[in-house]
């Protein structure tokens, strides 16, 4: 599946009301490690989105905007999340709880 | 061992070009057993001049301050260190163990280890803050795990050629000529640092190692990307994050699980910022840099 189609599938799942674990955010390294460990055992795209807490809109947490566009795992031109456990096409304004800069 | 790999100048150059008489070295020294004891006693008594004492390894004080856990040439190593430091014209501490105590001094420090004049960041160490060698200088610290061989030989040559007094030292008694700039200075990944493109796996040629893989290059003082290792490369050039081994806190986070090769974050922001950078500025800069990043920054543009 190419990036566009995969991105559209993600959008469709989230827009249809898929409930994801938006909170708690990965405040500490331990939190992030726990979430990525769960991601490694995820079964399919739907479960990945749930565990990572994806949203179609930017989450503001502790006064900091956390869009994919400023995340270290985001490839700007490809519009792609390069985190090994995700590796998903995304949009700049989306957000997940593994955001980091 | 690192010293033997020196190139500019080499260990041989020290002898042939600079006339240094290497009295003893673990690999090069000819004296063993009783003869080594005689040599050390001769130095300690002043019978044999000890111009430069180059010490490697932490000073072990356990058990109970006796130092008996680390015996050398018939007595506690720390006793030799104390005696030889009294008579040496210059004292050079090589490596993290001799400078700050190193990994052996990491809490809970069961070997009661110290560096010569520091214990981690705290001044004092085994010799105390007031210690001065006969030349009137404190211990010259050449940290690293290991220290780069050319840092060692260049400092030894400076001292041996009468320029020891010209070596400017920083607050941790490191030669400024080596330890003013950062490991990041000269890193081939600096353009990826600038555009906030992260390496996410070892072996990737693109991407900066600071953002995800725990590289400490932006806050570590060393010339690792100016004076290359084996005159060829460096950790970061080879895709290996800098571990910050020239700083007193090394190993950071006491090597707790999950802290090595992983950038520590608090609410998504690096816990340890590049030196001099504030959190709010970092957030603004990151947003702007990512927005401006060119396509090539995301591609593997290195060629062999």
């Amino acid at each position: 599946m190419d990036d566009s189609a995969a991105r559209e599938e993600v959008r469709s799942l989230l827009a249809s009301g898929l409930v994801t674990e938006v909170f708690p955010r990965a405040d500490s390294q331990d939190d992030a490690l726990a979430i990525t460990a769960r991601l490694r055992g995820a079964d399919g795209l739907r479960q990945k989105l749930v565990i990572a807490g994806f949203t179609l809109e930017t989450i503001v947490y502790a006064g900091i905007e956390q869009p994919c566009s400023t995340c270290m795992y985001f490839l700007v031109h490809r519009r792609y999340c390069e985190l090994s456990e995700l590796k998903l096409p995304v949009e700049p304004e989306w957000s997940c709880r593994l955001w980091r800069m | 061992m690192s010293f033997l790999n020196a190139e500019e100048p080499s260990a041989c150059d020290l002898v042939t070009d600079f006339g240094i008489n290497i009295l003893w070295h673990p690999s090069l020294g000819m004296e063993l057993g009783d003869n080594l004891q005689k040599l050390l006693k001769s130095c300690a008594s002043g019978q044999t001049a000890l111009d430069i004492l180059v010490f490697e390894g932490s000073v072990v004080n356990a058990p109970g301050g006796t130092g008996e856990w680390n015996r050398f040439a018939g007595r506690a190593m720390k006793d030799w260190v104390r005696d030889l430091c009294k008579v040496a014209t210059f004292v050079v501490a090589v490596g993290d163990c001799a400078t700050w105590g190193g990994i052996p001094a990491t809490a809970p420090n069961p070997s009661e280890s110290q560096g010569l004049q520091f214990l981690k960041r705290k001044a004092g160490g085994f010799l105390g803050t007031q210690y001065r060698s006969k030349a009137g200088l404190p211990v010259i610290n050449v940290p690293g795990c290991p220290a780069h061989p050319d840092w060692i030989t260049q400092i030894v040559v400076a001292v041996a050629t009468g320029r020891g007094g010209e070596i400017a030292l920083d607050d941790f008694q490191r030669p400024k000529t080596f330890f003013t700039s950062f490991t990041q200075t000269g890193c081939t990944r600096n353009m990826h640092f600038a555009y906030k493109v992260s390496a996410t796996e070892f072996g990737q040629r693109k991407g900066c190692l600071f953002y995800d893989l725990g590289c400490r290059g932006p806050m570590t003082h060393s010339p690792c990307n100016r004076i290359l290792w084996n005159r060829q490369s460096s950790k970061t050039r080879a895709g290996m994050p800098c571990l910050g081994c020239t700083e007193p806190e090394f190993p950071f986070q006491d090597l707790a699980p999950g802290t090595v090769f992983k950038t520590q974050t608090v609410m998504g922001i690096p816990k340890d910022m590049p030196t001099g950078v504030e959190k709010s500025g970092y957030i603004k800069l990151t947003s702007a840099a990512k927005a401006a990043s060119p396509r090539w920054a995301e591609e593997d543009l290195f060629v062999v």
Side-chain angles (χ1 to χ4, degrees):
Chain A
M1 188 183 298
D2 67 14
D3 281 0
S4 297
R7 190 178 294 108
E8 195 47 47
E9 185 180 353
V10 174
R11 186 199 309 278
S12 171
L13 281 167
L14 294 172
S16 66
L18 180 67
V19 178
T20 65
E21 299 176 23
V22 179
F23 295 99
R25 311 297 277 185
D27 282 348
S28 69
Q29 196 57 39
D30 286 345
D31 297 337
L33 286 173
I35 295 168
T36 51
R38 286 179 61 203
L39 279 173
R40 281 192 286 276
D43 182 21
L45 174 64
R46 177 184 290 263
Q47 209 171 1
K48 274 188 182 178
L49 297 176
V50 170
I51 293 169
F54 264 95
T55 55
L56 291 175
E57 69 286 345
T58 297
I59 296 295
V60 179
Y61 177 66
I64 301 171
E65 290 190 359
Q66 299 186 336
C68 288
S69 62
T70 58
C71 178
M72 276 307 149
Y73 300 118
F74 182 65
L75 296 180
V76 176
H77 294 276
R78 190 179 166 191
R79 288 184 291 145
Y80 190 83
C81 172
E82 208 179 24
L83 175 65
S84 301
E85 288 81 3
L86 288 173
K87 291 203 176 292
L88 286 174
V90 292
E91 290 288 5
E93 69 277 13
W94 293 0
S95 191
C96 98
R97 61 179 172 154
L98 286 165
W99 176 91
R100 65 185 294 161
M101 62 161 45
Chain B
M1 195 57 71
S2 178
F3 163 75
L4 298 178
N5 204 31
E7 292 183 69
E8 295 183 15
S10 71
C12 292
D13 292 339
L14 296 188
V15 178
T16 59
D17 294 358
F18 297 100
I20 294 174
N21 177 19
I22 300 177
L23 292 171
W24 195 80
H25 176 277
S27 299
L28 302 175
M30 298 296 287
E31 311 296 350
L32 293 169
D34 291 344
N35 287 338
L36 174 57
Q37 279 193 33
K38 281 181 194 166
L39 171 63
L40 294 173
K41 285 176 183 171
S42 175
C43 291
S45 69
Q47 190 178 349
T48 298
L50 182 60
D51 298 322
I52 312 170
L53 171 65
V54 180
F55 183 68
E56 182 186 35
S58 56
V59 180
V60 173
N61 292 290
T66 64
E68 290 293 323
W69 280 8
N70 183 23
R71 288 179 62 82
F72 178 74
R75 63 200 288 229
M77 172 67 96
K78 77 185 192 90
D79 294 334
W80 285 119
V81 172
R82 190 179 302 283
D83 289 349
L84 295 174
C85 285
K86 282 179 187 167
V87 297
T89 309
F90 293 92
V91 177
V92 180
V94 165
D96 280 359
C97 294
T99 51
W100 335 117
I103 289 176
T106 300
N109 192 4
S111 56
E112 302 168 32
S113 289
Q114 293 173 299
L116 286 183
Q117 270 196 298
F118 282 87
L119 175 55
K120 300 298 182 182
R121 190 166 281 264
K122 187 179 176 191
F126 178 67
L127 296 171
T129 54
Q130 301 304 311
Y131 171 79
R132 295 294 180 269
S133 65
K134 281 171 68 179
L137 291 179
V139 173
I140 299 169
N141 284 331
V142 183
C145 194
H148 191 296
D150 291 359
W151 309 342
I152 303 169
T153 55
Q154 288 178 26
I155 288 301
V156 169
V157 164
V159 171
T161 54
R163 293 180 288 120
E166 298 170 19
I167 300 173
L169 303 177
D170 70 9
D171 292 343
F172 295 104
Q173 297 167 208
R174 301 175 292 197
K176 284 185 176 178
T177 186
F178 296 139
F179 298 99
T180 300
S181 62
F182 297 96
T183 306
Q184 188 182 22
T185 309
C187 179
T188 52
R189 295 169 187 269
N190 273 343
M191 53 195 175
H192 294 112
F193 177 81
Y195 287 120
K196 311 298 174 190
V197 176
S198 177
T200 52
E201 295 173 13
F202 293 119
Q204 282 181 338
R205 291 185 180 180
K206 74 164 180 67
C208 176
L209 301 155
F210 166 72
Y211 300 114
D212 193 41
L213 295 177
C215 183
R216 300 193 66 85
M219 53 276 205
T220 298
H221 297 87
S222 96
C224 286
N225 278 299
R226 291 193 292 122
I227 302 174
L228 299 178
W229 288 76
N230 299 312
R231 296 285 161 178
Q232 294 291 322
S233 191
S234 69
K235 282 195 183 76
T236 59
R237 289 181 185 209
M240 157 79 183
C242 165
L243 294 170
C245 76
T246 54
E247 297 294 339
E249 291 84 1
F250 174 80
F252 294 85
Q253 283 87 38
D254 295 344
L255 299 176
T259 64
V260 182
F261 301 138
K262 199 68 193 169
T263 305
Q264 303 301 295
T265 56
V266 178
M267 294 183 184
I269 310 295
K271 187 175 159 192
D272 296 323
M273 291 283 181
T275 299
V277 176
E278 297 295 329
K279 181 179 162 185
S280 60
Y282 180 86
I283 292 171
K284 289 174 192 165
L285 178 65
T286 300
S287 302
K290 281 204 82 92
S293 72
R295 186 178 293 276
W296 58 255
E298 297 178 356
E299 296 168 354
D300 184 356
L301 51 74
F302 286 86
V303 291
V304 177

